Amino acid sequence: MKKTLYTFAALAMFAVAGTAHAAGNTIEQPAPPAGGWQHDGIFGTFDKVAAQRGLQVYREVCATCHGLKFVSFRTLSDLGFSEAEIKAIAKEYTFMAEPDDEGEVLERTGLPFDYFPSPYANEKAAAAMNNGAAPPDLSLMTKARVGGPDYLYSLLTAYRDPTEADLAALAAANIELGDTTYFNPIMGGNQLAMAPPLDDGLVEYAEGQPEATLEQMAHDVTVFLTWAAEPKMEERKEMGRNVMAFLVIFCGIMFFAYRRIAKRILGH
Ligand code: HEC
């Protein structure tokens, strides 16, 4: 009896996993940009200049709909922004001040210790203004999705009109494209409520910077959001490297200690 129950449970789990896969119907797999990511690998560091451009893309494009509630303005110093620059960025946002002596709550401009706010008053307002799908906070987005930075980059660059083959695949998976959603082969279910947010030349980069093509902006904003999700990545990698170096050296010392003791006790 117990055995049948286990078999049944296992079958049910397979069935659920199977349908979840079918509902995803992902046609394309996330892939990194052509040059890869500078932050990959155990020696990877953030491309700070790209992250600065990415912040510009976030502020000028994504911030219209998405907040970054775990990122404070002052942490931008990690990316090489000066105190004055950080104050200027914070000032662009408004916050509710503490109640004054009359109990009135007034607005104040942002200060370095504030966090990038959501542009909406609350989740319901966010959903109501976006055809029912609230734009998620982007602070941890590169950690929250399978594929991480590759997923984000691919999502932003993969928007296109569905081909006949795409439509056939969608029909086979019983998925209908909605009137207020956009086809995107990276997204599970192949559609999302976010209109393609980027377009060639949408943002004007400072002189000496690469041209603001769609791919370049997607790359830059992804580097910025990867940093936002794990600002201490470089320290973590350095710590990891130091621990590994310590273990290698320690292993060597232990080996020689063992040899000496073995020689004394066993004579070889
Ligand atoms: C006009 C509003 C708007 C703008 C501008 C916008 N988004 Fe979105 N975004 C949305 C909405 C709405 C959703 C929710 C989509 C859904 O769940 O169907 C979303 C979802 C997302 C998601 C989650 C996708 C997933 O896997 O669930 C990411 C990542 C994202 N946006 C990144 C960005 C980035 C990066 C930018 C700037 C380049 C940006 N968005 C600009 C409205 C916007």
Side-chain angles (χ1 to χ4, degrees), residues 19-207:
T19 46
H21 185 76
N25 188 45
T26 309
I27 300 171
E28 284 170 21
Q29 289 300 314
W37 301 110
Q38 189 186 301
H39 54 250
D40 269 354
I42 61 164
F43 290 102
T45 51
F46 287 119
D47 180 343
K48 297 210 166 74
V49 181
Q52 290 185 8
R53 293 193 301 265
L55 170 68
Q56 186 186 348
V57 175
Y58 168 74
R59 278 161 69 203
E60 293 181 20
V61 185
C62 322
T64 321
C65 302
H66 294 278
L68 274 180
K69 65 180 170 193
F70 296 126
V71 182
S72 72
F73 298 118
R74 66 176 160 203
T75 48
L76 293 176
S77 61
D78 286 8
L79 296 180
F81 286 97
S82 70
E83 223 177 295
E85 286 169 322
I86 291 174
K87 275 191 181 144
I89 293 169
K91 244 186 170 162
E92 287 172 13
Y93 298 85
T94 50
F95 293 85
M96 288 300 169
E98 289 291 305
D100 63 12
D101 289 344
E102 273 76 52
E104 221 165 312
V105 180
L106 299 174
E107 282 187 346
R108 63 167 175 83
T109 52
L111 290 163
F113 58 71
D114 287 314
Y115 291 74
F116 282 93
S118 161
Y120 303 103
N122 52 59
E123 186 91 4
K124 289 213 170 108
M129 291 176 79
N130 288 284
N131 295 312
D137 186 88
L138 295 181
S139 312
L140 298 172
M141 192 48 81
T142 59
K143 294 265 174 202
R145 294 288 183 275
V146 178
D150 293 352
Y151 173 82
L152 184 55
Y153 174 79
S154 301
L155 182 78
L156 294 171
T157 49
Y159 281 101
R160 59 175 163 79
D161 289 331
T163 61
E164 291 290 317
D166 295 330
L167 292 172
L170 286 171
N174 259 334
I175 298 176
E176 255 181 65
L177 283 180
D179 294 336
T180 54
T181 51
Y182 301 82
F183 177 75
N184 189 314
I186 294 295
M187 184 83 180
N190 290 165
Q191 57 193 315
L192 75 168
M194 172 166 71
L198 296 173
D199 207 353
D200 286 340
L202 186 63
V203 161
E204 202 175 316
Y205 282 158
E207 249 186 54

Side-chain angles (χ1 to χ4, degrees), residues 10-25 173:
L11 279 175
M13 268 156 73
F14 270 122
V16 170
T19 46
H21 185 76
N25 188 45

